[in-house]
Amino acid sequence: MQDRPHAEIVRDNLTSIQAHILQEERRHPGASGDFSMIISAISLAGKAIAAKVRRSNLEDVLGAFGTTNVQGEGQQKLDVIANEIIMRCLGDRVSIAVLASEEDEEPTILRRGSEGGKYCVLFDPLDGSSNLDCGVPVGTIFTILRNDPTIKGSVETVCQPGREQIAAGYILYGSATLMVLTTGSGVDLFVLDQSIGSFLLVKRGLRIPRNSKTYSVNEAYSAQFPAGYRAFLDAAKKDGYSSRYIGSMVADVHRTLLNGGVFLYPPTTKQPGGKIRMLYEANPLAFIIEQAGGMAYSGLHRTLDVRPTQLHQRTPVTMGSPEQVDAVLASLRKHGEGA
Ligand code: AHG
Ligand code: MN
Ligand code: MN
């Protein structure tokens, strides 16, 4: 039987995301408020991007921008717009040293060394954007890292293992606009109330179900997957599993967080290192899934323990409910793959 999440549903009080973060900061004596300024800028960017996404079928912002990003992927007009919005919202926050985006080849250095800057923010401005024209949910994924001023290069500065993240989240532009956020003490869910323009806390302490027989993977590529993944999928079919795949990782992982199951993007012969970007896709989502009681692996390694060496590095991912992730790992071990 499937476990249900036991998040605390917040009913009576109206708590905005800004108030929530300020309350959290009060528990840390000496907190400067810098962190809440960053979350506030991210929520402003989320509202501005949501407004663009919501009107995208009415304005000339759908379709290809006509360029490719550093990963050789075609950019959508809204990828470029969302990237600019985030840069503008975060660019003047004095506590940010470095910004890094999926859409930009190099990190943007805002201030270094004696100029201060405690944090780095890394993001995927619009995940799932190739599906935008058909109205599927897309999202912004972000992570906040500490800036070590003794490290010279900006790429070296942001190439931290995921376990070093101090906060991570995503904004999902779906049937509602919502934000999921962790600062390392559980996962909270906020929903944008369009009528007042605020993200309001609706669930505190989200927990992923321990077990749910659902897998989420682009199964058309399964002939290219290593044998351990194929064996898991074969066994799952015989075991009464159901399948769900949107093709927007942020939306697939959000559903997995709420309903349970496992999201997979394995290595393929075309992409032997996997497709998902480590620093601003896999790590933030892995942090959230773990904080909700789930598991996240890259092959046979815990995703958050992998030390990245490149800004746009890719990784295979398996993340979700503990029982399903364990079953995938067991299958990988049995077939001697994924290490
Ligand atoms: P992005 O739109 O930021 O480039 O990311 C797309 C990613 C991810 O969201 C999704 O899970 C995956 O691409 C889908 O890939 P396939 O089309 O290969 O299934
Ligand atoms: Mn993406
Ligand atoms: Mn993207």
Side-chain angles (χ1 to χ4, degrees), residues 41-103:
I42 292 172
S43 87
L44 178 64
K47 286 183 261 185
I49 296 169
K52 281 287 176 195
V53 169
R54 301 273 173 240
R55 290 190 55 78
S56 58
N57 280 280
L58 302 168
E59 294 173 1
D60 184 28
V61 291
L62 284 179
F65 187 67
T67 51
T68 53
N69 63 18
V70 60
Q71 358 239 345
E73 296 159 344
Q75 286 179 301
Q76 302 290 307
K77 289 180 193 166
L78 269 173
D79 283 325
V80 177
I81 292 169
N83 197 35
E84 269 176 31
I85 289 173
I86 297 175
M87 289 289 179
R88 284 177 65 197
C89 291
L90 290 174
D92 69 344
R93 303 289 150 136
V94 289
S95 59
I96 303 178
V98 179
L99 291 173
S101 164
E102 177 189 73
E103 302 302 333

Side-chain angles (χ1 to χ4, degrees), residues 73 102 124 126-129 139 141 249-250 276-277 280-281:
E73 296 159 344
E102 177 189 73
D124 176 354
L126 215 46
D127 180 59
S129 56
I141 309 173
M249 184 187 186
V250 63
I276 303 304
R277 273 59 56 112
Y280 42 78
E281 293 181 317

Side-chain angles (χ1 to χ4, degrees), residues 135-213:
V136 299
V138 292
T140 299
I141 309 173
F142 60 90
T143 176
I144 304 178
L145 303 169
R146 266 199 190 83
N147 173 47
D148 179 348
T150 65
I151 301 177
K152 287 225 155 41
S154 56
V155 173
E156 291 78 1
T157 301
V158 300
C159 280
Q160 304 178 23
R163 60 170 184 266
E164 308 282 344
Q165 294 171 98
I166 57 168
Y170 56 81
I171 302 162
L172 186 69
Y173 315 105
S175 54
T177 300
L178 50 89
M179 188 182 319
V180 169
L181 179 69
T182 183
T183 56
S185 50
V187 180
D188 300 318
L189 171 69
F190 304 82
V191 174
L192 178 62
D193 183 336
Q194 307 262 17
S195 63
I196 60 173
S198 274
F199 282 99
L200 300 177
L201 179 64
V202 295
K203 276 186 194 166
R204 209 192 278 273
L206 281 178
R207 303 296 295 170
I208 188 170
R210 285 199 58 75
N211 177 25
S212 171
K213 290 184 175 179

Side-chain angles (χ1 to χ4, degrees), residues 308-323:
T309 55
Q310 290 163 34
L311 175 58
H312 299 290
Q313 181 169 329
R314 295 174 192 265
T315 180
V317 296
T318 300
M319 60 175 73
S321 299
E323 294 219 9

Side-chain angles (χ1 to χ4, degrees), residues 117-128:
K118 279 197 273 189
Y119 301 109
C120 307
V121 184
L122 281 54
F123 53 91
D124 176 354
L126 215 46
D127 180 59

Side-chain angles (χ1 to χ4, degrees), residues 258-293:
L258 296 187
N259 296 347
V262 60
F263 173 85
L264 302 131
Y265 207 111
T268 58
T269 39
K270 202 170 142 210
Q271 308 233 61
K275 179 179 183 190
I276 303 304
R277 273 59 56 112
M278 176 110 232
L279 279 167
Y280 42 78
E281 293 181 317
N283 277 347
L285 297 175
F287 189 24
I288 289 165
I289 289 288
E290 281 202 3
Q291 282 292 314

